[in-house]
Amino acid sequence: MSQLSLKQREAGDVTVLDLSGKITIGEGSVQLREAVRGLLDNGKNKILLNLGDVSYVDSSGIGELVSSYTTVNKAGGQLKLLNLTKKIQDLLAITKLLTVFEIHEDEGTALSSFK
């Protein structure tokens, strides 16, 4: 059984990925990578990652978030984060990545922030 579950939904021209479980080395980070690359391959480059049900992110998972962010930006798109848990927010603060990602608490605000 997979440690990470991804559900994809559309909100206008933004694709929301609802993630639950763990983003860790191996299957979890590979799933995230493939999901983001798949969206880009299909011309969907406005991506909102809902991390509200993600219980754990290891260093590989953080690396994958950064890699996904970079890949989407290079493709001319935007990747934003939604609903960070306190633990993930602390992790991004420690790694100084809070300033890299655009982070939202409210989905409506996040969706309207895409140009």
Side-chain angles (χ1 to χ4, degrees), residues 3-99:
Q3 290 187 333
L4 180 67
S5 171
L6 291 126
K7 289 182 183 165
Q8 179 180 329
R9 56 191 166 93
E10 306 297 324
D13 60 349
V14 178
T15 302
V16 181
L17 289 178
D18 294 310
L19 283 65
S20 62
K22 300 176 182 179
I23 307 174
T24 56
I25 191 165
E27 198 172 334
S29 59
V30 170
Q31 273 183 283
L32 177 58
R33 180 181 319 137
E34 289 176 349
V36 170
R37 303 302 191 276
L39 290 174
L40 291 175
D41 288 346
N42 288 313
K44 298 178 179 188
N45 64 1
K46 294 180 180 177
I47 302 170
L48 182 62
L49 296 181
N50 181 358
L51 303 177
D53 289 328
V54 172
S55 58
Y56 181 75
V57 179
D58 70 0
S59 59
S60 177
I62 292 290
E64 193 51 49
L65 287 174
V66 173
S67 175
S68 294
Y69 176 84
T70 304
T71 301
V72 172
N73 273 1
K74 282 183 182 173
Q78 296 174 290
L79 183 140
K80 302 180 182 186
L81 304 180
L82 175 68
N83 290 330
L84 298 186
T85 63
K86 173 89 169 78
K87 193 182 289 185
I88 295 173
Q89 197 160 8
D90 289 347
L91 191 59
L92 292 180
I94 290 168
T95 55
K96 310 251 187 248
L97 290 169
L98 268 182
T99 56

